Amino acid sequence: MVEVLAELQDRTFERATAATARTYPPERRLTPEQLTSYLSRREYAVVGTTRPDGRPHASMSMYIRSGSAFWLPTVDGSVRARNLRTNPWLTMVIAENDDESHIAVIAEGPAELVPLDDLPADLRTAVDQNWPHVWKWVGLWIVLNTERVLSYAAEDAEP
């Protein structure tokens, strides 16, 4: 799992534009172990999708990571679910702190809607253990099949 995220991050940095490399200097990225640890200890992200008319939509979401995939619970009929039916691409930003101690990870890629019954057993167990309240409202799962990963840790950050 560590290798897959690290490989995705390496490929993303290799293809980065000059502007992206200035904003996210490769030397400030999280190591493979830090990336995995950071994403495992976080539970929420800001999620971005695109409305059918092209306008952006952002919202908060819980997530569970499995390898390089992120699984997000949602209400069936939610704006983000409707958006993904038209434009199946999702961006997540997982960030914390400010100034010289901030950390940010951006993950993006194609996303698909997954019925409740198709949630893998290991993820169902994780939800039962960590977020049992989710079952009261979740109607659908979104899986982000990550293709790009960028990370940044400021100088005083503790990933």
Side-chain angles (χ1 to χ4, degrees), residues 64 115-130 135 141:
I64 297 175
L116 290 179
D117 293 341
D118 293 344
L119 184 68
D122 61 328
L123 296 179
R124 184 174 295 279
T125 299
V127 171
D128 289 342
Q129 291 173 353
N130 301 304
W135 298 120
W141 287 87

Side-chain angles (χ1 to χ4, degrees), residues 73-107:
T74 193
V75 176
D76 198 6
S78 67
V79 172
R80 78 181 125 192
R82 290 193 320 261
N83 292 346
L84 290 171
R85 284 188 175 95
T86 304
N87 299 305
W89 190 269
L90 188 129
T91 299
M92 290 178 55
V93 178
I94 305 105
E96 69 180 12
N97 297 334
D98 295 307
D99 300 323
E100 290 307 311
S101 65
H102 79 278
I103 299 171
V105 174
I106 301 172

Side-chain angles (χ1 to χ4, degrees), residues 29-82:
R29 69 180 139 186
L30 299 173
T31 66
E33 293 76 18
Q34 290 171 329
L35 183 62
T36 299
S37 174
Y38 178 72
L39 294 173
S40 295
R41 73 176 167 82
R42 305 291 300 170
E43 292 184 353
Y44 287 86
V46 175
V47 177
T49 57
T50 305
R51 297 174 195 265
D53 65 5
R55 292 179 300 136
H57 176 262
S59 60
M60 289 293 295
S61 181
M62 305 166 102
Y63 71 85
I64 297 175
R65 189 178 53 79
S66 178
S68 63
F70 292 83
W71 292 78
L72 298 77
T74 193
V75 176
D76 198 6
S78 67
V79 172
R80 78 181 125 192
R82 290 193 320 261

Side-chain angles (χ1 to χ4, degrees), residues 141-159:
W141 287 87
I142 297 168
V143 60
L144 165 62
N145 298 299
T146 311
E147 287 187 358
R148 299 178 189 154
V149 177
L150 284 172
S151 69
Y152 178 87
E155 196 166 317
D156 296 334
E158 296 181 20

